[in-house]
Amino acid sequence: MINIVKMRLLSIICVSPYNPVMQHLSVLHNEVLALLDPKAGESVLDVTLGLGGHSKSFLEKIGDSGHLTGIEADENNLKLAQERLKAFENQTELVHANFREIELMNLPIVDIIFADLGLSSPHLDDPDRGFTFRENAPLDMRFDRSNGITAAQLIKSLKEEELANIFWKFGELRTSRRLARAIKEKEQVKTTLDLKECIEKSAGYKARDILPQVFQSLRIAVNDELGSLEVLLNIGPKLLKKGGRMGIISFHSLEDRMVKKAFRELSQPMIDDVTGAVTEEAPFEVITKRPVFPSEEEVEGNSRARSAKLRVIRRVERV
Ligand SMILES: C[S@@+](CC[C@H](N)C(=O)[O-])C[C@H]1O[C@@H](n2cnc3c(N)ncnc32)[C@H](O)[C@@H]1O
């Protein structure tokens, strides 16, 4: 009897293995398609390919005569996306790189640039990556494991004050100094559990409330996420054709503030200081006067979408 139960269980596990592509839901999928409006024959640059969810839909819209370049920092995700987009291999170029390098990549100008910032579900689902406080694992947190230093190495290399600044700037943690002290006092912080113990020591029963911010702030620092976004906001618009659209989904206020400011500046005309007359029309227009949020239904089905905000600009035809 026990053997039969065991065999049944085994067959269930075998026919339904964990499939990250199936588990991963692309955030604001319909809104992205509606606002970026990919058309037959257009070219797309997806700088956060992830598991290729948004890219697959772009490819379906741009058809055989279109072209998509996908950039992904994480080699595992890149492989999953390559597999998923196999049917489109003649129209795609998928590259293992950080989008902060786009200026050096000799990319042609395109109709659409898209970024869906931050991490993907496999990063959280794979405890070995060190992104989640729910499992004990080496404290890594790099999107690209072939490059840069891990969160554990970063913690070791920083002074107490520098560490506190990370928690303050990227996590808006009011207890950043106390936490940094607890971390630096610990003999070694090599795993997610070591870090969790420091948080518990410093915040007591409130630790649970700040765990997500602490992990998020270290992740932002390890991957220099705001530095990369700044490059994208500077270089991306220059790579857009006339009429081209650029859409960015951000997941926390620091990113959204940067996107909002950059898009606003790009959509301002040049004004003569003396006469106040317009000397040069604005090169871009903001398509999303307010950020686009996911629907309640989407958040219910995918809690990761909860804090997503989408903003889109368009290069005007005449500039
Ligand atoms: C939210 S996921 C993208 C999901 C994707 N839109 C989809 O539908 O499958 C973000 C992805 O961007 C990657 N990423 C984050 N920052 C990056 C960077 N600076 N350069 C390249 N890839 C980056 C992450 O590794 C992750 O796979």
Side-chain angles (χ1 to χ4, degrees):
M1 180 67 182
I2 291 175
N3 274 345
I4 293 174
V5 173
K6 265 192 192 162
M7 276 175 67
R8 285 233 169 103
L9 265 176
L10 196 65
S11 71
I12 291 170
I13 294 166
C14 291
V15 285
S16 48
Y18 169 68
N19 181 338
V21 174
M22 297 305 288
Q23 305 290 320
H24 177 83
L25 300 166
S26 295
V27 170
L28 286 165
H29 175 268
N30 296 342
E31 294 81 352
V32 165
L33 287 185
L35 288 163
L36 291 180
D37 189 22
K39 293 190 254 309
E42 286 196 327
S43 48
V44 178
L45 171 62
D46 181 348
V47 298
T48 52
L49 181 68
L51 304 191
H54 288 103
S55 275
K56 182 166 183 282
S57 301
F58 291 143
L59 282 158
E60 283 160 359
K61 296 275 178 193
I62 62 180
D64 293 348
S65 53
H67 186 270
L68 180 136
T69 304
I71 298 176
E72 174 53 55
D74 183 307
E75 278 176 301
N76 287 354
N77 281 356
L78 182 71
K79 279 190 198 125
L80 291 167
Q82 275 165 341
E83 196 54 42
R84 186 179 198 174
L85 303 178
K86 223 182 173 100
F88 304 93
E89 64 191 354
N90 294 335
Q91 300 146 258
T92 51
E93 190 185 348
L94 308 182
V95 189
H96 177 228
N98 190 304
F99 64 67
R100 84 165 70 98
E101 291 149 24
I102 48 170
E103 195 173 13
L104 314 170
M105 290 173 74
N106 248 332
L107 295 165
I109 55 169
V110 290
D111 296 290
I112 291 175
I113 297 179
F114 176 61
D116 174 14
L117 301 171
L119 41 66
S120 57
S121 19
H123 289 134
L124 290 171
D125 297 339
D126 180 353
D128 282 351
R129 304 297 298 264
F131 285 103
T132 173
F133 48 85
R134 294 182 209 286
E135 309 272 352
N136 191 23
L139 198 55
D140 190 325
M141 293 197 185
R142 287 169 302 165
F143 293 143
D144 182 355
R145 283 198 281 187
S146 66
N147 245 314
I149 61 168
T150 66
Q153 289 166 329
L154 181 73
I155 287 174
K156 195 165 178 217
S157 71
L158 293 180
K159 295 198 184 85
E160 187 179 308
E161 201 188 326
E162 293 167 324
L163 196 55
N165 280 343
I166 286 180
F167 299 135
W168 173 246
K169 257 175 74 186
F170 303 149
E172 297 175 40
L173 261 187
R174 276 182 289 142
T175 52
S176 55
R177 283 183 188 284
R178 203 186 325 150
L179 175 60
R181 196 174 321 126
I183 292 176
K184 290 310 271 190
E185 273 170 10
K186 195 167 166 74
E187 203 179 318
Q188 58 177 28
V189 179
K190 285 191 165 173
T191 64
T192 51
L193 188 64
D194 293 337
L195 178 60
K196 208 171 153 191
E197 282 169 4
C198 298
I199 302 170
E200 280 159 0
K201 186 178 165 205
S202 113
Y205 72 95
K206 290 191 177 158
R208 229 178 28 171
D209 302 337
I210 64 166
L211 273 164
Q213 282 132 288
V214 177
F215 273 70
Q216 172 185 280
S217 49
L218 277 174
R219 191 202 85 207
I220 292 174
V222 165
N223 296 292
D224 184 22
E225 292 181 36
L226 302 186
S228 301
L229 178 58
E230 196 170 328
V231 174
L232 179 66
L233 291 168
N234 279 326
I235 308 300
K238 296 180 189 154
L239 294 176
L240 275 182
K241 289 183 187 174
K242 287 179 185 179
R245 290 82 69 200
M246 177 168 180
I248 301 187
I249 301 179
S250 63
F251 289 87
H252 56 82
S253 54
L254 295 170
E255 286 172 346
D256 183 57
R257 244 176 269 155
M258 288 172 67
V259 177
K260 183 179 169 184
K261 181 167 173 281
F263 282 8
R264 196 198 292 135
E265 282 169 10
L266 287 163
S267 60
Q268 299 298 313
M270 293 269 262
I271 307 279
D272 186 293
D273 285 344
V274 182
T275 63
V278 171
T279 54
E280 217 178 297
E281 294 293 340
F284 288 85
E285 60 179 330
V286 177
I287 303 289
T288 47
K289 299 295 175 219
R290 288 170 186 281
V292 175
F293 297 97
S295 64
E296 275 176 32
E297 290 94 298
E298 178 171 1
V299 176
E300 252 169 53
N302 179 13
S303 61
R304 197 186 154 263
R306 199 181 45 234
S307 43
K309 285 183 190 163
L310 167 67
R311 293 185 188 268
V312 178
I313 49 168
R314 181 174 170 276
R315 181 183 278 282
V316 294
E317 300 285 349
R318 60 191 141 64
V319 184

